[in-house]
Amino acid sequence: MNLFIKSAALIAFLANSGVNASRSSSSNEVTFYFDSELAADPYAVRTSADSMSTGKGTVTVRRDGTVTMNIMWIIRGDDGPINKWNPVNGIHVHAGNKHTNGPIVFGFCGQDDLPAFGGTCQQGWPSHSAQTGTQYEGKICNMNIPDCYNNGQTSAAEAAELLIDGQVEMYVNIHTKKSFDANKRDGDGALGLIRGQLSLEAKARPTGSNNDEVAPVVSSTSREMESALRGGQM
């Protein structure tokens, strides 16, 4: 009798473990979409007070730490032109409210004074191209410095959990060489040019479903917007 009870208990334990493992695996495969509308924020970056530049991004996040970003930007007026002397030199997700200047959590690209993370940043899109944005793979900021969230001691999976569960606010930040130099002259660090808070929009289907692609980030039908996007500059 005791043997029967023990066997039944073992079977129940193994069955329950299988269910929990399946739930955990399924949770890791769900993609969460975060949208961001980028613009200057003079409260956080004094040198951007006259900036009219804008951007739009969608960040997709999974609990296993997989992070990608689809992003476009329009650099306007004195913020430009974007060229070899004034490249886009960093795109990051930072911890905190967009009105603050928090540490980097995920980096997507960088050059000219800023960490490379996944490689150099794309500098716009040819006028004849159908491409109006760039997709990047995010890399956790794991350098043991204050510029990285938690001094680089947080894993990509842990950071993804913090964002998905709403434990830490995060925002997207685009840097240019010109804004970097202006902030440096003003006595500040690499504060960026335009930024936008990440906002959870929808929970995607599990991996493998027909709708698991990254959502397009360009939704405007304005002719002016479409034209500007081709060159990434206005």
Side-chain angles (χ1 to χ4, degrees):
M1 183 68 177
N2 288 338
L3 179 62
F4 174 78
I5 293 173
K6 288 179 180 178
S7 298
L10 178 60
I11 292 171
F13 171 77
L14 292 175
N16 188 55
S17 297
V19 170
N20 289 337
S22 176
R23 285 175 179 169
S24 176
S25 174
S26 177
S27 176
N28 283 336
E29 292 176 347
V30 174
T31 301
F32 294 82
Y33 290 73
F34 293 82
D35 288 344
S36 182
E37 298 281 345
L38 286 74
D41 187 345
Y43 184 86
V45 185
R46 291 173 294 181
T47 59
S48 69
D50 297 324
S51 174
M52 298 298 291
S53 298
T54 57
K56 179 180 291 192
T58 295
V59 176
T60 64
V61 185
R62 290 179 181 165
R63 291 187 184 275
D64 64 1
T66 302
V67 177
T68 59
M69 176 189 287
N70 270 20
I71 193 162
M72 53 72 62
W73 40 260
I74 307 170
I75 303 301
R76 292 183 167 95
D78 292 338
D79 294 338
I82 295 299
N83 53 33
K84 64 179 181 180
W85 296 283
N86 179 39
V88 172
N89 64 344
I91 300 177
H92 311 134
V93 165
H94 294 251
N97 184 281
K98 69 176 182 177
H99 302 306
T100 65
N101 291 301
I104 300 171
V105 183
F106 293 100
F108 297 86
C109 64
Q111 62 213 64
D112 296 321
D113 303 309
L114 295 177
F117 290 107
T120 57
C121 303
Q122 187 164 346
Q123 303 301 313
W125 307 277
S127 58
H128 60 272
S129 172
Q131 183 184 10
T132 58
T134 303
Q135 185 178 89
Y136 296 98
E137 180 182 351
K139 305 290 184 183
I140 190 68
C141 191
N142 58 7
M143 295 169 280
N144 187 17
I145 56 175
D147 290 336
C148 287
Y149 179 74
N150 194 28
N151 289 302
Q153 303 306 302
T154 299
S155 70
E158 289 169 337
E161 290 276 359
L162 293 174
L163 177 59
I164 291 169
D165 294 339
Q167 298 179 57
V168 174
E169 289 185 293
M170 298 187 192
Y171 64 92
V172 177
N173 199 1
I174 294 182
H175 302 254
T176 64
K177 177 64 174 173
K178 185 178 285 189
S179 67
F180 179 91
D181 291 341
N183 290 323
K184 189 175 181 179
R185 287 193 300 271
D186 205 44
D188 294 318
L191 304 184
L193 175 64
I194 55 176
R195 55 181 59 199
Q197 201 73 43
L198 285 173
S199 174
L200 180 63
E201 291 300 325
K203 188 169 75 171
R205 282 61 52 193
T207 299
S209 71
N210 293 331
N211 296 318
D212 195 47
E213 298 298 324
V214 174
V217 299
V218 180
S219 59
S220 172
T221 56
S222 160
R223 253 184 220 177
E224 178 187 17
M225 176 68 81
E226 291 291 340
S227 175
L229 286 176
R230 301 295 182 196
Q233 185 169 312
M234 194 171 172

